[in-house]
Structure formats: C-alpha cells, structure tokens
C-alpha cells in the first residue's frame, strides 16, 4: 500500500503537524489450532517513509523531522475468539497477544519491540435485547522506537495520537440495546492512562470519554 498521512502528534504537551509519506508492506497469517477457538501465527511489516513536521501554531518547518526512514519488523501472535459475530458480536470472548520485534538492518533503521494485548468480552442480557461489552487494551514499547511507534490511548471521543507514551492502558465499556432487527442504540464510556520515562511525553491518568450513538445493520442475518 501507499499512504500520505497528515497527523497531529504531541511532544512536551505541544502539537506538531507531521507528514508521513511512503509505502507499506504488511503480511499477516494465522492458523486455527485443530477445531478449537485458538489461533497462532506471524506477521511481517515493512515501512519506507519520508517524514516532515511543522509547528501547529506557526507552521514553521522543523528540520529535525525531515528524513527518509525504513522500519522492518516480525511478530508472533496468539489469539482466542469465541464471538458469535466479528463486526457486531452479541456474546463471546476475544483475546489477542502480539509481540513485534523490529530490526536495525539493511531495510530497517530502528531497533525496538512492541507488546500488544487486547481483550474483549460480550454478554447478552434481558432476553438478548441488551448486549454488554467490555474491552481491556494494554500496549508497551521497549528499545529505541520511532515517534509513530509509541502506543497511544484508543478511546471513542479521544483524538488518535493525542496521548502517547511508552506504556498505555485502556478500559472501555459499551451497552447496546437491540431495538429492532436493524437498529440499535449504544451507550459507551471508557478510561485510560499512560506511563513512561521519556521527557518527550507526559504521564497521563484519568483520561475519560463517553457518549451515545446508534447502529444500523445492513445485513442483520450476519450482524453486519
């Protein structure tokens, strides 16, 4: 794939407008273990990017960010998935653990590791009309990662990349009311925090987001 991404990163509590422009190669393979709900596999990723940045307030370019970089990594992953549906599950458990090792080599400029754990649980209540979901997400990095590889808080209502650090944790909950075959109302709330030893990022706790919304299923028979 190819992407030209303009994103706002925050360093020392101040926003910078960053451009990431280049190519991506990603290969992901997973095998079901027997007839169980367990899966195991691997992943390979390669990035070739031109990076640049400017201050969000004045638009002054920052020469330090103007460089061409490569990032190459290999991951192992294990997964458990007992959900009845993938996109809009009503019940079941999903757990995913991934460890990524990035190499400093001929096609990689960085030496670091990424650790990701994602747990989601769904429960039907009140004669299947109500569905309660909870999510726990833990992310961490070690070594010398590029700025875009530091994990960030992923909550509905919180801008992506706003809260980055060496370690992040998120707990998210959702209550869905299946009003009709195609229509549902959703109430959600979550909290998260960050932690690390770098001066580049601030430790944050008590980050909260919540809201209400609606959901429409195009294919109710498949919960899509």
């Amino acid at each position: 794939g190819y992407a030209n991404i303009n994103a706002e990163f925050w360093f020392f509590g101040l926003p910078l407008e960053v451009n990431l422009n280049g190519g991506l190669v990603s290969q992901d393979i997973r095998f079901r273990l027997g007839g169980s709900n367990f899966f195991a596999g691997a992943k390979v990723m390669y990035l070739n990017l031109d990076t640049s940045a400017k201050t969000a307030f004045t638009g002054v370019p920052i020469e330090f960010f103007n460089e061409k970089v490569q990032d190459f990594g290999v991951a192992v992953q294990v997964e458990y998935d007992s959900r009845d549906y993938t996109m809009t599950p009503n019940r079941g458990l999903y757990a995913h653990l991934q460890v990524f090792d990035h190499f400093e080599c001929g096609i990689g400029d960085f030496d670091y590791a990424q650790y990701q754990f994602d747990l989601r649980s769904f429960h039907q209540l009140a004669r299947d009309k109500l569905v309660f979901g909870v999510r726990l997400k833990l992310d961490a990095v070690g070594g010398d990662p590029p700025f875009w590889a530091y994990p960030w808080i992923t909550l509905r209502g919180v801008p992506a990349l706003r809260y980055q650090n060496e370690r992040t944790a998120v707990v998210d909950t959702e209550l869905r009311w299946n009003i009709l075959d195609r229509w549902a109302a959703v109430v959600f709330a979550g909290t998260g925090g960050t932690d690390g030893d770098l001066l580049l990022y601030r430790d944050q706790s008590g980050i909260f987001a919540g809201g209400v919304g609606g959901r429409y299923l195009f294919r109710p028979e498949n919960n899509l």
Side-chain angles (χ1 to χ4, degrees), residues 5-11 14-20 51-63 65-66 147 161:
I5 300 172
N6 293 304
E8 191 173 70
F9 288 79
W10 290 71
F11 306 115
L14 298 174
L16 289 181
E17 295 179 2
V18 177
N19 176 259
L20 302 174
T51 65
S52 61
K54 57 185 179 181
T55 59
F57 300 116
T58 63
V60 176
I62 301 176
E63 296 300 327
F65 281 88
N66 293 337
F147 63 88
L161 304 170

Side-chain angles (χ1 to χ4, degrees), residues 134-183:
V134 60
R135 174 179 67 121
L136 170 66
K137 193 171 189 301
L138 305 174
D139 294 275
V141 293
D144 188 23
F147 63 88
W148 66 78
Y150 284 90
W152 62 84
I153 295 296
T154 54
L155 283 173
R156 287 170 285 189
V158 175
L161 304 170
R162 176 60 183 89
Y163 301 103
Q164 281 184 276
N165 214 324
E166 293 176 296
R167 295 172 292 274
T168 63
V170 166
V171 177
D172 196 11
T173 60
E174 174 183 288
L175 184 64
R176 187 173 80 246
W177 177 25
N178 297 318
I179 304 173
L180 300 172
D181 287 344
R182 292 181 181 270
W183 289 96

Side-chain angles (χ1 to χ4, degrees), residues 1-5 20-26 45-50 68-72 107 148:
Y2 169 82
N4 187 353
I5 300 172
L20 302 174
N21 182 7
L24 161 70
V25 177
S26 179
M45 188 197 69
Y46 170 71
L47 292 173
N48 191 317
L49 299 174
D50 290 308
K68 188 176 185 66
V69 295
Q70 299 181 99
D71 188 5
F72 173 74
I107 56 174
W148 66 78

